[in-house]
Each structure stands twice: as structure tokens, then as C-alpha cells.
């Protein structure tokens, strides 16, 4: 393609948002709600971003966050989650209530691509500036008063935008984090040593999201719509999806879910990946703020990845609003610390659940001692209302209604 010169002048805006996934689109929508200018730059096409399938549940806290911005009805799709999660241990069913019983809307079974499509539509209808298929995004003067973002549009023209803040919402393989000088961010990483095969199929969804534990390995079955399901199968960490032809997938699911009559259907997507967790600390450098997967990856168990991205987006948008409207920088200064507090809370929950559901079934990798510990944790969850309440609190993402006073010693 023919290269064209940089447009003569830098275009001014308040916030440049890099990435139009759940994090970037949420930031953009919330900023529009406050009347704050922003430009969103996305590497892929609108069609590509809109069909990318990943997470499937918007936790109660995030539903209420969208509601507080007056956006819940417009951006959330899918039915309400009925608050019941099924654990099937060696074929025995245990229903766990994962709603906390508080007043207000609960979680929604809203696939990520539905949220992304709706956020896109609302933002464009609101007059938002979304630029797709941009290339060569680069960040400059991050510690100055007016940083610059440069990029190339599809016709080869080079552009420059100056702004007050940059929201790095470009996921784990994006460019924004690489603009931070070496040594500023610390990466805390964990490889769980576990692989998952994930399969999307046109097959009936389960009555409730289902986690199945057995000596054959972990499996899960989640609804993805009225006639479609997502399944997960524990597999060796580097297994290739080709090692899992249809008949092997359905045989393994029927065995692990202890459901010989499980209805099969056409498989529309099949991927495998290693379970891993990653946190970058801090989530800010100068006027660049990392939001969502650009700052942290959480193992999928517990469904926190997208919800953490929505949490960061909310804090960032409020912080920018306070800065512009009230000249109050408290939110900007505390952004990284407040996000990381929730990130580590959710990492701990996800790690606990990951270990529990894998160790409880399979003692080849973890040993009989850890298997019995995991079974004891599940037994406690199924029998203790206090433990079940703590589990529900973590699933909803809501803050506890009140902090009990800590007893003081004499
Ligand atoms: N320039 C512009 N856009 C980019 C660049 C780049 N150099 N690199 C990546 N992007 C875009 C990607 O194409 C993608 O659309 O940034 C977006 C990042 O979106 P996600 O990876 O979905 O990350 P995020 O928005 O933080 O979403 C949170 O939670 O459930 C998890 O991983 C799941 O995607 C989900 C995430």
C-alpha cells in the first residue's frame, strides 16, 4: 500500500481508547455519558470484533454498574441467570445458590459478543467516534501533559491524536503495555499446568451452569443461548484441538458429565488453551491507564475476566469525569491500587475454584492428599450456609452489605 504523509495537524481529543473489546467499548460509552470526548482505535474490523466469542456471564455487580449509568437495558442481552450453579461430583448433583439474595438485579447470561455488539451500536448511535482496522498504533510523551497517539488508517494515511489520557484496552497482546519503559511494571504470572478444550455447539443448554468433577477429568457445560452450549474439557496442557474429533468430545462429555443421554449437536468452534493467570502492577504509567486484559489475565474458572475489565472501565471513566468536572484527581491517583485490590481478590477466588474442581477429580496430577483437601472444600460449600454465602458473595462481585466490626482484644 502507498504510504501517505502524516496529516498536517494533530487532532485533539480528551481520551484515546485503544481496543474495542468489552473494556474499550465500556470506557467509551461511559465517557460519552459524561459528555467527554474520546476516539476509539481498533486494529480489527467491526465484523471481526462483533463475532469474537469468549465470556458468557455478566456478574451482578457489573449489571448494577451498567444500571447506575442508565445503560443496562441498552447494552445487556440474554436472560437473567437464575442464581443456581450445579456441581456434579462423581455423578451426584449439588445445587449451589450463587446469588447473594440482595435487592437489585442479579447476573445476566450475556455472551461477550452480545455485549460488544450492543455497546458498539449504542456508542455509534450516541455519536461516538470508533475507528476500525487501524495499524501501527504508537504512544508518545506518556509522562507529558498531552500525550500523542499515532496510527495508520486503511488508506495508508498516518494520523496523530493528542489527548489528556490514553486508555490501554487492547488486551494481553496489545501495544499499549509495551510503550511503558522496562522496569516500571512488574508481571506476576502463574501457569496452572492445566489445559482446556473449549467447544461451542448447537446443542441444548443445561438447566443450570454445570461443573462436573470425576476421575475422568473436569468438564463443564454452560448455556450460550436458547439452542447453543459451550463445553469445557480438561486436557493435557498442550493438546491440539485436532486430537479431539467430534466422537471423542461427545464420549468424554457423556462420561464426565455422568449423562449417557447428553444430546449432541453440530460443533461450531473448537479451541484449546492453557489455564494461566497474570497481573501487571501498577496499571498506570504517566497518562496511560491499562484497563482489562491489557493489565491482567484471570483463569476462566469463576467467569471473572470480562467482569474485571468492566470494573476497571467504570473506575477509569469515573476518575476522568471527576478530573474534568470537579478538578478532583483522587480517582486517577488511586486507580491502579483500587483495581489491583479487586484483581487479586478475583485471582484468589478463581485460583481456589480452579484448584478445587481439578484436584477433586484427578489425583494423578495432584496426588490423593490434595484430592481429599479439594473434596473437603466442596463438602464445606455444599453443607455450610456460611461458606455458601461467601461463595455467592464472590460470584456476584458485590461488596459485602456491611463490614462486621472486628472484635477488639482485652
Ligand atoms: N491497536 C488497536 N487495537 C488493538 C491492538 C492494537 N495494537 N491490539 C489489540 N487490539 C484490540 C483487539 O483487536 C481487541 O478488539 O483490543 C481489543 C482487546 O479486547 P479483549 O482482548 O477482548 O480485551 P478486553 O476488552 O480487556 O476484554 C476483557 O475478559 O473474558 C475475558 O479475555 C476475555 O476478552 C475478554 C476480556
Amino acid at each position: 500500500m502507498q504510504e501517505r504523509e502524516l496529516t498536517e495537524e494533530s487532532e485533539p481529543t480528551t481520551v484515546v481508547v485503544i481496543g474495542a473489546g468489552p473494556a474499550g467499548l465500556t470506557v467509551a460509552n461511559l465517557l460519552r455519558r459524561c459528555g467527554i470526548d474520546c476516539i476509539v482505535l481498533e486494529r480489527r474490523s467491526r465484523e471481526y470484533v462483533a463475532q469474537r466469542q469468549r465470556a458468557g456471564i455478566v456478574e451482578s455487580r457489573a449489571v448494577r454498574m451498567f444500571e447506575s449509568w442508565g445503560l443496562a437495558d441498552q447494552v445487556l442481552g440474554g436472560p437473567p441467570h437464575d442464581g443456581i450453579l450445579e456441581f456434579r461430583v462423581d455423578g451426584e448433583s449439588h445445587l449451589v445458590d450463587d446469588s447473594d439474595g440482595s435487592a437489585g438485579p442479579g447476573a445476566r447470561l450475556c455472551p461477550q459478543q452480545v455485549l460488544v455488539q450492543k455497546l458498539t451500536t449504542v456508542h455509534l448511535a450516541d455519536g461516538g467516534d470508533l475507528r476500525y482496522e487501524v495499524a501501527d498504533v504508537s504512544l508518545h510523551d506518556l509522562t507529558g501533559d498531552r500525550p500523542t497517539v499515532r496510527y495508520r488508517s486503511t488508506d495508508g494515511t498516518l494520523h496523530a491524536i493528542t489527548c489528556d489520557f490514553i486508555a490501554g484496552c487492547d488486551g494481553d497482546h496489545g501495544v499499549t503495555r509495551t510503550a511503558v519503559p522496562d522496569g516500571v511494571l512488574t508481571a506476576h504470572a502463574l501457569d496452572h499446568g492445566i489445559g482446556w478444550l473449549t467447544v461451542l455447539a448447537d446443542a441444548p443448554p443445561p438447566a443450570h451452569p454445570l461443573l462436573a468433577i470425576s476421575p475422568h477429568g473436569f468438564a463443564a457445560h454452560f448455556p450460550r443461548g436458547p439452542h447453543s452450549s459451550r463445553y469445557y474439557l480438561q486436557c493435557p496442557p498442550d493438546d491440539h484441538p485436532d486430537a479431539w474429533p467430534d466422537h471423542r468430545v461427545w464420549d468424554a462429555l457423556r462420561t464426565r458429565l455422568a449423562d449417557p443421554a447428553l444430546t449432541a449437536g453440530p460443533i461450531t468452534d473448537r479451541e484449546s488453551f492453557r489455564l494461566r493467570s497474570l497481573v501487571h502492577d501498577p496499571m498506570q504509567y504517566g497518562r496511560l491507564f491499562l484497563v482489562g486484559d491489557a493489565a491482567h489475565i484471570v483463569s476462566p474458572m469463576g467467569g471473572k475476566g470480562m467482569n474485571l475489565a468492566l470494573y476497571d472501565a467504570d473506575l477509569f471513566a469515573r476518575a476522568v469525569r471527576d478530573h474534568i468536572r470537579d478538578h478532583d484527581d483522587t480517582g486517577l491517583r488511586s486507580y491502579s491500587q483500587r483495581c489491583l485490590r479487586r484483581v487479586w481478590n478475583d485471582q484468589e477466588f478463581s485460583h481456589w475454584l480452579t484448584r478445587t474442581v481439578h484436584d477433586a477429580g484427578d489425583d494423578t496430577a495432584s496426588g490423593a492428599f490434595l484430592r481429599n483437601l479439594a473434596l473437603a472444600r466442596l463438602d464445606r460449600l455444599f453443607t455450610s450456609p456460611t461458606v455458601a454465602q461467601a461463595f455467592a458473595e464472590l460470584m456476584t462481585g458485590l461488596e459485602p452489605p456491611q463490614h462486621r466490626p472486628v472484635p477488639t482484644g482485652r
Side-chain angles (χ1 to χ4, degrees):
M1 182 180 294
Q2 202 188 350
E3 186 162 308
R4 299 204 190 162
E5 285 305 301
L6 188 68
T7 46
E8 270 154 35
E9 282 181 19
S10 278
E11 194 180 353
T13 191
T14 307
V15 179
V16 176
V17 178
I18 300 172
L25 289 167
T26 302
V27 165
N29 272 277
L30 304 189
L31 291 175
R32 286 294 298 174
R33 290 258 135 175
C34 309
I36 296 170
D37 286 343
C38 68
I39 296 172
V40 184
L41 301 178
E42 165 60 49
R43 180 176 62 158
R44 302 283 196 167
S45 67
R46 180 175 174 184
E47 296 69 32
Y48 182 92
V49 174
Q51 55 72 40
R52 200 166 37 200
Q53 307 241 7
R54 290 204 200 147
I57 190 153
V58 179
E59 66 184 12
S60 308
R61 187 209 58 77
V63 171
R64 295 178 197 189
M65 178 277 283
F66 279 123
E67 197 167 71
S68 73
W69 286 92
L71 278 169
D73 291 341
Q74 295 172 68
V75 303
L76 295 173
H81 168 45
D82 68 1
I84 304 291
L85 192 61
E86 179 179 353
F87 286 83
R88 204 173 284 169
V89 184
D90 294 330
E92 191 180 331
S93 173
H94 303 265
L95 298 184
V96 172
D97 188 346
D98 67 10
S99 61
D100 70 344
S102 63
R108 291 283 285 269
L109 297 172
C110 174
Q112 177 170 314
Q113 74 273 18
V114 173
L115 178 68
V116 163
Q117 288 159 15
K118 287 177 172 263
L119 284 166
T120 307
T121 307
V122 173
H123 190 56
L124 291 173
D126 230 9
D129 188 340
L130 262 165
R131 304 180 189 180
Y132 289 98
E133 297 181 67
V134 305
D136 302 338
V137 170
S138 62
L139 281 54
H140 309 269
D141 306 325
L142 292 177
T143 53
D145 285 345
R146 292 280 291 169
T148 303
V149 176
R150 296 185 202 278
Y151 72 97
R152 189 186 305 278
S153 51
T154 38
D155 64 359
T157 310
L158 288 169
H159 301 260
I161 311 172
T162 48
C163 56
D164 290 346
F165 302 106
I166 300 170
C169 307
D170 48 350
D172 188 31
H173 304 293
V175 72
T176 56
R177 207 175 59 226
T178 63
V180 179
D182 286 349
V184 173
L185 305 183
T186 304
H188 304 282
L190 179 73
D191 181 333
H192 295 261
I194 296 169
W196 272 14
L197 178 81
T198 158
V199 166
L200 195 66
D202 296 330
H208 311 288
L210 164 64
L211 310 179
I213 292 149
S214 78
H216 308 287
F218 173 72
H221 184 185
F222 294 116
R224 274 297 183 278
H227 309 291
S228 61
S229 294
R230 191 176 270 288
Y231 305 88
Y232 295 98
L233 285 162
Q234 179 183 357
C235 63
D238 294 314
D239 243 13
H240 194 274
D242 290 350
W244 289 85
D246 290 16
H247 68 86
R248 188 179 176 203
V249 168
W250 296 111
D251 285 351
L253 285 169
R254 290 188 177 116
T255 305
R256 298 187 194 188
L257 301 178
D259 182 359
L262 181 77
T263 307
I267 291 178
T268 53
D269 189 33
R270 186 184 336 234
E271 279 175 51
S272 62
F273 58 92
R274 290 177 82 99
L275 267 56
R276 65 193 181 100
S277 306
L278 174 63
V279 178
H280 288 94
D281 181 354
M283 288 171 53
Q284 180 204 353
Y285 174 68
R287 288 176 174 263
L288 167 67
F289 292 77
L290 300 175
V291 182
D293 275 17
H296 40 70
I297 298 293
V298 59
S299 110
M301 201 67 263
K304 292 299 180 188
M306 181 169 75
N307 289 300
L308 277 176
L310 301 178
Y311 181 79
D312 298 347
D314 178 46
L315 281 198
F316 174 71
R318 286 175 197 275
V320 173
R321 178 199 62 190
D322 293 350
H323 167 83
I324 288 174
R325 191 184 64 186
D326 307 326
H327 308 291
D328 176 359
D329 284 349
T330 318
L332 289 171
R333 277 200 305 271
S334 61
Y335 171 79
S336 176
Q337 195 191 2
R338 286 187 65 194
C339 290
L340 286 169
R341 182 167 184 250
R342 176 163 288 261
V343 168
W344 283 113
N345 182 62
D346 285 3
Q347 290 283 13
E348 195 286 325
F349 174 57
S350 173
H351 181 263
W352 173 87
L353 197 52
T354 303
R355 287 272 46 111
T356 300
V357 298
H358 291 91
D359 290 355
D362 176 15
D363 65 7
T364 50
S366 57
F369 192 90
L370 291 185
R371 175 164 195 243
N372 282 299
L373 290 186
L375 286 167
R377 288 202 291 275
L378 285 172
D379 187 38
R380 219 185 272 153
L381 175 63
F382 303 151
T383 56
S384 161
T386 313
V387 174
Q389 178 66 27
F391 178 81
E393 187 181 300
L394 289 158
M395 283 298 288
T396 61
L398 295 165
E399 298 285 338
Q402 70 210 13
H403 294 286
R404 296 211 188 102
V406 179
T408 49
R410 270 197 270 176

